[in-house]
Amino acid sequence: MSFNNYYRKLHKKSSRKILFFIVIFCILSSAKSQNKIHTPVFAYHYNDSVIVPPKKPWKAAAETFGFNIALWAFDNYVLQSDYSKISTSSIKKNFETGFVWDNDGFSTNLFGHPYGGSMYFNAARNNGMNFYESMPYAFGGSLMWEFFMEKEPPAINDLISTTIGGFSLGETTYRLADLIIDSRTTGWERFGREFLATAISPMTGFNRLISGESWKRQNFKGRAFGNIPTIVTIRSNYRAISENTDILDNISSSMYVDASLLYGDPFAYENSKPYDYFSFKAGFNLISDRQPLLSNINAIGMIWGKEIELKKEEREVVLGVFQHFDYYDSYGGEYIGEGGVEKVDYHYFRIAEAAAFGGGMLYKAKIGQKNNFIMGAHLNVVLLGASLTDYYNDIDRDYNLGSGYSSKIKLGMIFGTHTELGLNFENYRLFTWKGYDKDLSELDYEEQDYLNAQGDKGNSIFRIVSFSINQKLNKHISIYTDLSCYYRKSHYSDHPDRKYTVSDAKIGLGYIF
């Protein structure tokens, strides 16, 4: 809940550009910090000297506790937020009330809280705990915050998104920061590496600072995973989005930049730990008065995988269990209501799955001497997701929370070393069973805090179909085009059903590291 103030500020113009350049610079520096293998399919593992830190569970617990105290102090004394005015009475009331579904904003609940969970998770990872041993820290940190550090009622959706979403964002940021670390370097290069690693994973930087590892020079890199190359692609695009609804037809344009990477190789026999292979993509609207800075985050991490032996050596198949984190947000703008006075904010689309797991299959095949075909197929259970709604509109809520399932199919055809075609299909089905069908304006602010509703009772189908062409001009530079269609159909138990379609086109240049 307390993250709401932070992420409201991200939509201010002054913060957009600063945050954007920090994120992109971190990713670029991460790519430059290692030897690369340029392959159109997947990167491969290489051995390197690694460190195995001792396990310090109590130190990890102290850092989790300390992070919550520091965050509460900032909220209370700097931001002077009303929800941080805790007391013994507020704590007692939280235990008496129990969990409710809260009404915080979309970015707060579906991105802010998972990011907070990554802090708890990485407090453990940086103190020697493995992936599974770090899970209780994300859960415990979230539980402490919900019951003790706010006077608002504890939210069940926050506990789920902070804990499980924290696994995904925590492990990806922990491994990305690890790629930058090089204890052999000195001077400005060393400072730059430590600064960027801290920007990506603050808990990594904090632990290296208090242990002295930030400035200690050694004869090896000092990484936790050795030298695992990544394939990083940065694209700068012109983006145009159009929507056809009964409100109005309009086009929103922006300068859109996205960064994507592949970490590891799912077909390598060395894969034995969660997230030895994962894919990650983040998109940003840099120059736009109408679109949010953070457009999308998509992460798929392989928790467990097994390669299936095939008779033909040019074909490979891996079956596995994967964790998914997806976040899409697009702002529509304002329109003049009846009488020419009222201005209403609305969104093109909003969909997220903060906690999702499922089975998946990865397949690649060599066709001829130079061509490659790749495919990924996934079927997931969504423990917590969210989708834009047409009716439930609280102070910070214009979306429904719920659970359900999702499926994804990604196809890619790579012709030689220059032309790549991609077809992507995503399907989300979310069910909201605890609704509220009365006028929210009749409730005061405290009553809305204790409303305990997921939104409008019903279910929603959300689909994404996209087609992309990537034409390489040389080893690094390419021309990229993407055409996407977003479709939502919502069924409501207490309101008329609604559906709409949004078209999204991007064209620009890409740079492959």
Side-chain angles (χ1 to χ4, degrees):
M1 296 178 186
S2 69
F3 296 101
N4 200 25
N5 286 336
Y6 310 142
Y7 291 93
R8 287 176 182 171
K9 295 179 180 179
L10 292 182
H11 294 280
K12 294 183 179 179
K13 292 183 180 179
S14 60
S15 298
R16 287 185 174 188
K17 294 184 179 180
I18 294 173
L19 181 61
F20 168 77
F21 283 114
I22 288 176
V23 173
I24 295 302
F25 188 54
C26 289
I27 296 173
L28 285 170
S29 299
S30 171
K32 293 180 179 179
S33 67
Q34 52 190 304
N35 295 325
K36 296 295 182 300
I37 289 185
H38 300 285
T39 168
V41 184
F42 292 104
Y44 294 90
H45 293 260
Y46 280 81
N47 293 324
D48 185 34
S49 57
V50 299
I51 58 173
V52 182
K55 293 184 179 181
K56 300 177 181 178
W58 291 109
K59 184 171 178 285
E63 290 182 10
T64 300
F65 180 86
F67 174 76
N68 274 341
I69 296 298
L71 184 59
W72 168 82
F74 181 81
D75 290 344
N76 188 54
Y77 296 110
V78 179
L79 300 181
Q80 297 184 347
S81 303
D82 182 65
Y83 53 74
S84 63
K85 308 300 180 183
I86 59 175
S87 64
T88 54
S89 298
S90 68
I91 295 173
K92 181 180 178 181
K93 187 176 182 180
N94 285 345
F95 277 93
E96 291 175 347
T97 302
F99 285 108
V100 301
W101 299 91
D102 75 8
N103 288 312
D104 283 347
F106 185 77
S107 61
T108 299
N109 277 343
L110 282 309
F111 173 69
H113 279 289
Y115 182 77
S118 73
M119 296 292 193
Y120 307 135
F121 184 86
N122 280 342
R125 289 298 272 138
N126 284 282
N127 281 286
M129 304 294 108
N130 63 29
F131 179 83
Y132 298 108
E133 293 168 340
S134 299
M135 290 180 174
Y137 291 87
F139 177 77
S142 178
L143 206 62
M144 172 187 170
W145 183 268
E146 294 299 320
F147 279 95
F148 294 94
M149 311 310 293
E150 293 180 312
K151 75 172 187 179
E152 295 178 352
I156 184 62
N157 52 284
D158 290 350
L159 184 66
I160 297 173
S161 64
T162 303
T163 303
I164 300 179
F167 302 163
S168 178
L169 296 185
E171 188 67 13
T172 54
T173 55
Y174 175 64
R175 286 178 176 256
L176 290 177
D178 188 69
L179 289 172
I180 298 173
I181 294 171
D182 191 343
S183 297
R184 303 171 303 176
T185 59
T186 59
W188 283 107
E189 180 183 351
R190 181 60 176 270
F191 174 80
R193 287 179 178 275
E194 297 295 334
F195 177 82
L196 291 171
T198 303
I200 293 174
S201 175
M203 280 296 180
T204 297
F206 174 77
N207 278 275
R208 288 181 64 80
L209 182 65
I210 63 176
S211 67
E213 296 294 326
S214 294
W215 57 81
K216 185 184 299 182
R217 191 176 186 277
Q218 299 171 331
N219 59 1
F220 57 93
K221 293 181 179 179
R223 296 175 180 173
F225 299 100
N227 188 18
I228 303 178
T230 63
I231 298 178
V232 181
T233 304
I234 307 293
R235 298 188 180 98
S236 177
N237 309 271
Y238 170 79
R239 183 187 193 189
I241 309 174
S242 64
E243 176 187 32
N244 297 315
T245 69
D246 56 3
I247 297 177
L248 90 148
D249 299 337
N250 74 71
I251 296 178
S252 173
S253 61
S254 66
M255 178 181 176
Y256 177 85
V257 177
D258 67 81
S260 61
L261 61 93
L262 290 173
Y263 178 100
D265 176 16
F267 301 100
Y269 68 89
E270 297 96 338
N271 293 329
S272 60
K273 300 181 181 65
Y275 282 78
D276 274 351
Y277 165 76
F278 68 85
S279 63
F280 182 88
K281 182 178 181 180
F284 306 89
N285 295 293
L286 178 59
I287 302 177
S288 175
D289 292 331
R290 297 173 56 185
Q291 294 298 319
L293 171 65
L294 181 59
S295 173
N296 62 278
I297 295 179
N298 309 99
I300 302 177
M302 187 166 69
I303 304 297
W304 172 87
K306 180 177 178 57
E307 186 171 2
I308 307 300
E309 294 186 4
L310 299 178
K311 293 182 179 180
K312 295 185 177 181
E313 295 182 356
E314 65 272 14
R315 299 180 183 179
E316 297 180 84
V317 174
V318 169
L319 299 179
V321 177
F322 297 81
Q323 181 180 7
H324 295 249
F325 182 93
D326 291 282
Y327 175 97
Y328 292 96
D329 189 12
S330 180
Y331 181 66
E334 299 177 339
Y335 73 95
I336 306 300
E338 294 182 5
V341 178
E342 182 182 13
K343 286 189 176 182
V344 179
D345 294 341
Y346 69 96
H347 291 263
Y348 282 144
F349 53 82
R350 279 183 157 176
I351 187 72
E353 52 178 4
F357 297 90
M361 179 188 73
L362 302 177
Y363 173 82
K364 73 174 182 179
K366 188 174 183 179
I367 301 175
Q369 296 297 320
K370 298 181 179 181
N371 304 326
N372 290 278
F373 172 77
I374 58 175
M375 180 184 72
H378 301 270
L379 181 61
N380 313 305
V381 174
V382 181
L383 302 178
L384 178 69
S387 178
L388 186 69
T389 183
D390 300 286
Y391 301 101
Y392 188 94
N393 197 335
D394 200 359
I395 297 175
D396 295 316
R397 277 276 302 275
D398 61 354
Y399 62 94
N400 290 333
L401 292 164
S403 56
Y405 61 88
S406 67
S407 58
K408 302 173 185 177
I409 297 177
K410 184 175 182 178
L411 306 175
M413 190 68 197
I414 304 169
F415 299 93
T417 58
H418 290 86
T419 306
E420 301 178 11
L421 304 180
L423 181 62
N424 185 53
F425 175 79
E426 300 176 41
N427 180 72
Y428 302 87
R429 183 73 180 273
L430 298 177
F431 298 85
T432 301
W433 63 90
K434 192 173 181 60
Y436 186 79
D437 58 351
K438 298 183 177 63
D439 187 1
L440 290 171
S441 63
E442 299 176 355
L443 305 177
D444 61 30
Y445 191 82
E446 185 175 359
E447 289 175 325
Q448 292 181 25
D449 275 342
Y450 291 84
L451 181 60
N452 194 20
Q454 291 178 301
D456 293 304
K457 186 177 180 180
N459 63 82
S460 181
I461 298 173
F462 191 89
R463 296 188 179 118
I464 305 172
V465 180
S466 61
F467 174 74
S468 63
I469 302 176
N470 190 54
Q471 180 64 45
K472 293 183 180 180
L473 303 180
N474 56 39
K475 186 177 181 180
H476 296 288
I477 301 176
S478 64
I479 298 176
Y480 178 79
T481 301
D482 180 278
L483 301 175
S484 299
C485 179
Y486 301 85
Y487 171 80
R488 175 174 66 90
K489 180 180 181 181
S490 297
H491 167 72
Y492 301 101
S493 300
D494 304 304
H495 304 285
D497 295 350
R498 295 288 296 273
K499 63 181 179 180
Y500 75 87
T501 303
V502 175
S503 300
D504 185 354
K506 307 182 191 76
I507 184 169
L509 294 176
Y511 192 91
I512 304 171
F513 295 87

